[in-house]
Amino acid sequence: MYKKIIKVTNFSQREETIARYMQEVNDIQKAGITRRELFKMGLTAGVGGLTAIGGRNFLPNLAEAADTGLISPPCNKPWTEPLPIPKSCQSVGFYTGPTPEEGQCGEKQTLWNPGANAFDDFEEARDENHQRWIELGGLDACTKYELMAREIDWNFYSTEEYPSFNSKVWTYVDMNSDAVGVLRINAHYGAPVLMRMYNGLPKDSKDNQGFGINQCTPHLHNAHNPPESDGGPTRFYDSGKWWDYWYPNVRAGFASTHKNGTWYNGSWCPGDWQETQSTLWFHDHRFDFTAANVYKGMASFYTLFSNDINLDTGDETTGLRLPSGEYDVPLLFTDKVFDQSGQMFFDTFNLEGIVGDQQTVNFKIKPVMDVKRRKYRFRFLDAGPSRFIELFLSNGAKFTRIANCGNLLPTAQVVSSVRLGVAERADVIVDFSQYAPGTVIYLENRLEQLTGKGTTGKILPSSSKTQLLKFIVSGDPVADDSVSLSTLQTQVMVPMPARTNPIKVQRRFKFDSSNGAWTVNGQLFDPSKISAYPAEGSAEQWTLESGGGWSHPVHTHHEEFQLLTRNGKAENLAIDDKSRKDVVRIGDGAVGTSGTGSVSYYMQYRDWYGDYPLHCHNVVHEDHAMMIRFRIVPPDDSKAGK
């Protein structure tokens, strides 16, 4: 049995066992067997093959490397690689392929070969109209981007130590610049974005180095988008196809509760200005394979600026005067496990959650960043797949937190640390002007998490093991036109919107497990089923429940919500609950070391019609199959409110 073999003390024998296990996992994955097929075959219920060990823990949870045996090659030369700064994608005036339209394009093929793949041409993925396309300006109003999901070689380690450790990574590539890896799209309210996404992943579905599927559906996480451009779990498409994702960049309420728009700073904008967003991200969302595809690298940033109302402008001399340009830096945190050749390993048979022994920042292990003596804006993103994090500065300095999830806070918060569940974001300001040149400060994750079950809530002492990113303060002070911290901590940024839309319906969703899989209200995700029908323009109260000692970061698509209670009481809300949210942590360790058996929130369903998911964003739980879909329908629909 693997569980017995893994405990042997002879290191070479253990390495051999690990290698054999990893090869068997990869062979099964390369065979194209899905998780649902594995369930049917009994492979996750203790019947035959790898599952002879039996039960949910039939495998030795090798991906939970810190405690169970699988150890990635060590990074013996940390702080030698510079932090990869996400490069901004470049817009184009027109596409070389078919002209985008409200519905299916008139031309059926692009007749364009990028040269790096074995495709004669790419075809449009589906025929589905963009809602409110003409109303919001159509093609002429759009800023256009061309991206491709494709396979590249990427070295997560120090190239000085491991020059040949190139993993096969599936990631997004900007077709009009050298931006690759973790990308960034800079978007603006009032300027819709049209993103043509080519699926250039390997044509052979089995050519995946053991995990992932060559179908994609990029989801712009937290955006107020119509479902056809949301990147929902059932709207995936094959290699060799493309789809035009239309992001209207318009505030919630523009077609329902705030049809006349709102005024702020002397400027008018469609919708409710208090629904303004800032830090979003996009990632793959193909159901059953979200964890594998995102783990493989399909995740990037989408930063949304509100210069239309002179708020978060991307220019530190205007609006809120937040640090901008090179001083506005996105940081994506994600776990990895590697085999002895430096290739990423993904354990399909781990149903609890993958907690790797190597934590990366923008796809690098222990990178270094030279910072100038001035203020920086850092956009933190926990990209999982299963680890919760709590970030500290090694010198004990505090963060000035200005945003939670995708939104500016009502007022800034001065905090010693920032806890994030998977998919949560936080924007913070750090002032390096007070430090002498050569000062070294580490960004650390000090939250203990031993398994995919969730965090223990314990805060670890500062050490070399907790360090993620090394800052080295350099040079003389430089020009800094951004707002002072004292002003930032007193001024109002984006107040919470008033909850004037009355609650019409209350619903409850229990996040639980059954026979080794994950459920919502006792059901596995069924891609053909709709579980709720909110009426467009209405508000509802949803209560999420969790038990069994698990931690679940739960994400609701379509629109943000406002938390009302934890464990039935408003006074239990934490400091980072007091803002608009799109992900909420429930279960053990959700806040501090305490458990949260239930949370309730207020959510509105405005402006768009169609289906969206609710799911756990521990993406291993999501794929196994902790997700439901709801559909927004007209108020006069017979199913409205059901």
Side-chain angles (χ1 to χ4, degrees), residues 2 11 31 65 86 149 153 188 191 209 238 261-262 392 408 447 493 519 556 622 636:
Y2 283 104
F11 187 74
D153 288 327
H188 300 266
Q209 290 77 48
D238 293 330
T262 49
F392 294 78
L408 293 173
L447 182 61
M493 290 187 292
T519 62
T556 309
E622 173 188 333
D636 59 357

Side-chain angles (χ1 to χ4, degrees), residues 330-350:
L331 299 177
L332 182 150
F333 305 95
T334 182
D335 278 10
K336 302 295 179 189
V337 179
F338 300 92
D339 66 20
Q340 295 305 302
S341 70
Q343 285 288 325
M344 281 190 298
F345 174 72
F346 181 84
D347 196 339
T348 298
F349 302 104
N350 186 333

Side-chain angles (χ1 to χ4, degrees), residues 287-590:
F287 79 88
D288 284 358
F289 290 91
T290 299
N293 283 5
V294 175
Y295 182 87
K296 205 154 190 173
M298 297 169 70
S300 285
F301 286 91
Y302 186 99
T303 49
L304 185 52
F305 294 101
S306 45
N307 43 307
D308 62 332
I309 55 173
N310 200 33
L311 190 62
D312 185 0
T313 64
D315 178 350
E316 62 187 40
T317 67
T318 62
L320 292 174
R321 296 177 48 218
L322 302 174
S324 62
E326 66 176 289
Y327 310 111
D328 175 357
V329 182
L331 299 177
L332 182 150
F333 305 95
T334 182
D335 278 10
K336 302 295 179 189
V337 179
F338 300 92
D339 66 20
Q340 295 305 302
S341 70
Q343 285 288 325
M344 281 190 298
F345 174 72
F346 181 84
D347 196 339
T348 298
F349 302 104
N350 186 333
L351 309 189
E352 293 183 355
I354 293 175
V355 180
D357 66 332
Q358 296 291 357
Q359 297 179 56
T360 69
V361 187
N362 291 350
F363 295 171
K364 273 292 179 182
I365 301 169
K366 295 188 181 301
V368 61
M369 179 183 181
D370 290 327
V371 293
K372 297 177 182 178
R373 298 177 64 192
R374 55 150 292 153
K375 293 187 291 296
Y376 282 73
R377 175 182 187 172
F378 294 109
R379 302 177 188 251
F380 297 156
L381 162 62
D382 181 353
S386 304
R387 184 186 292 276
F388 286 46
I389 61 176
E390 187 155 349
L391 300 171
F392 294 78
L393 292 172
S394 61
N395 65 347
K398 295 186 176 182
F399 301 109
T400 300
R401 183 173 184 169
I402 60 170
N404 187 18
C405 282
N407 315 292
L408 293 173
L409 294 164
T411 56
Q413 302 168 350
V414 179
V415 295
S416 299
S417 64
V418 174
R419 180 173 295 194
L420 300 174
V422 183
E424 286 189 293
R425 284 89 64 218
D427 291 18
V428 302
I429 307 293
V430 178
D431 188 356
F432 294 102
S433 66
Q434 58 189 303
Y435 303 114
T439 300
V440 171
I441 303 169
Y442 294 96
L443 183 65
E444 302 181 311
N445 170 31
R446 293 171 52 193
L447 182 61
E448 183 180 64
Q449 183 163 344
L450 303 177
T451 72
K453 187 173 184 177
T455 172
T456 66
K458 178 182 177 181
I459 300 300
L460 300 169
S462 175
S463 72
S464 60
K465 293 183 179 180
T466 64
Q467 296 166 354
L468 302 178
L469 172 62
K470 181 179 182 178
F471 296 119
I472 302 177
V473 181
S474 62
D476 296 326
V478 296
D480 186 350
D481 294 317
S482 65
V483 63
S484 69
L485 293 184
S486 58
T487 300
L488 185 61
Q489 291 160 12
T490 57
Q491 69 179 347
V492 175
M493 290 187 292
V494 182
M496 292 281 275
R499 297 195 293 266
T500 55
N501 201 358
I503 293 172
K504 297 289 184 68
V505 177
Q506 297 188 30
R507 305 181 194 268
R508 304 184 78 88
F509 298 95
K510 186 173 183 179
F511 288 72
D512 211 336
S513 61
S514 176
N515 295 322
W518 298 99
T519 62
V520 180
N521 287 349
Q523 301 294 315
L524 298 174
F525 175 61
D526 180 347
S528 66
K529 181 179 179 180
I530 300 297
S531 299
Y533 293 87
E536 193 279 327
S538 70
E540 296 187 0
Q541 178 177 318
W542 286 17
T543 297
L544 314 179
E545 299 177 338
S546 174
W550 297 90
S551 299
H552 300 296
V554 180
H555 173 46
T556 309
H557 288 222
H558 170 66
E559 190 168 332
E560 295 160 320
F561 51 79
Q562 297 181 37
L563 284 166
L564 303 174
T565 63
R566 281 189 179 274
N567 290 335
K569 296 181 179 180
E571 55 265 32
N572 290 338
L573 295 177
I575 185 173
D576 55 357
D577 289 333
K578 298 176 181 178
S579 68
R580 290 171 290 137
K581 295 278 292 174
D582 66 85
V583 177
V584 60
R585 304 184 302 272
I586 62 174
D588 280 8

Side-chain angles (χ1 to χ4, degrees), residues 9-56:
T9 57
N10 181 283
F11 187 74
S12 61
Q13 185 178 357
R14 187 180 72 172
E15 281 194 321
E16 181 181 344
T17 300
I18 290 170
R20 189 167 73 252
Y21 175 82
M22 294 171 74
Q23 185 61 53
E24 189 167 350
V25 170
N26 287 341
D27 287 346
I28 291 176
Q29 292 174 147
K30 286 180 179 179
I33 300 173
T34 69
R35 292 179 181 85
R36 292 172 187 268
E37 289 170 331
L38 291 174
F39 275 114
K40 292 177 182 178
M41 294 164 61
L43 291 181
T44 57
V47 180
L50 286 173
T51 63
I53 297 164
R56 177 185 292 264

Side-chain angles (χ1 to χ4, degrees), residues 206-229:
K206 296 180 182 179
D207 185 16
N208 63 356
Q209 290 77 48
F211 66 95
I213 193 170
N214 64 346
Q215 297 168 324
C216 68
T217 172
H219 164 51
L220 182 51
H221 182 112
N222 196 31
H224 186 59
N225 285 336
E228 58 271 11
S229 290

